[in-house]
Amino acid sequence: MAETERLRLGVNIDHVATVRNARGGDTPDPLRAARLAEEAGADGITAHLREDRRHISDADIEGLMATLNVPLNFEMAATDEMQAIALRHRPHAVCIVPERREERTTEGGLEVAREENRLAHFIAPLAEAGCRVSIFIAADRRQIEAAHRIGAQVVELHTGAYCDAHAEGRFQERDDELERLREMATFGHSLGLEVHAGHGLTYETVPPVAAFPEVRELNIGHFLVGEAIFRGLTPAIAEMRRLMDAARG
Ligand code: PXP
């Protein structure tokens, strides 16, 4: 498969840290998970340093920057604190996500259209520092246009609504969401944006998204960490990689 067509897999290790933090000790170690993920075929590692540090810690980010052989995709809210941390570490990529303390996970995409000026100023120094800037948004034309206007290089389309509809057996809605994702992947690509996707993806939901030719990267975490309990992290990731490649082929 030509390198330009290969779909990259970013493995999100946040929930290894969630399990570690449940007991407040050192295990399981997210850095060890990152190393295994690399060996299993991950093209990058994603970690979200939340304002409340509920999973990934500042020390994890330092450790990842020091030891990873593949690129780090640093997920962050658009706050001054996170911008300063990103500028200190200069990871390969930053992904700007909305963050609300009370949410269990990143529930929606960023409202770029509503905050265009602030976000344009927020991402400029990150791009100048050499970070590839990605914006996590709903599959919505207005948001994609706004992300393009503020100078983002990448949009990551939120696949949560599609995955939730599948899990809850709302199949018409699932198919509608999938169609929306497909159209918006094409639209984003037509503007010159690199298109990524992620959130809630599983072995069942990944194939149709992996098949979109405009999508260059998937970021997947929670399902893989859960599946690792049953089959081990390396086989869990290898199976995801296999399904992605099969859908692509
Ligand atoms: N992409 C982004 C931007 C995310 O915020 C998350 C969740 O942290 C993911 C991908 C991965 O989602 P999941 O853990 O549900 O696979």
Side-chain angles (χ1 to χ4, degrees), residues 12 14-15 75 95 97 106 136 156 198-201 219-222:
N12 181 316
D14 291 352
H15 296 301
E75 266 188 42
C95 180
V97 301
T106 313
F136 189 46
E156 179 162 331
H199 207 282
L201 290 168
N219 284 300
I220 309 179
H222 182 265

Side-chain angles (χ1 to χ4, degrees), residues 14-28 30 53-56:
D14 291 352
H15 296 301
V16 178
T18 303
V19 177
R20 174 195 61 192
N21 295 359
R23 284 292 170 94
D26 294 335
T27 60
R53 310 300 197 268
R54 71 176 70 159
H55 37 58
I56 293 294

Side-chain angles (χ1 to χ4, degrees), residues 197-243:
H199 207 282
L201 290 168
T202 65
Y203 294 152
E204 286 186 4
T205 51
V206 84
V209 180
F212 298 156
E214 298 87 357
V215 173
R216 292 294 318 277
E217 179 174 311
L218 299 179
N219 284 300
I220 309 179
H222 182 265
F223 175 80
L224 289 174
V225 174
E227 191 64 14
I229 294 169
F230 303 107
R231 57 168 106 193
L233 188 59
T234 303
I237 293 171
E239 176 63 1
M240 189 60 85
R241 179 80 260 170
R242 190 189 69 74
L243 290 166

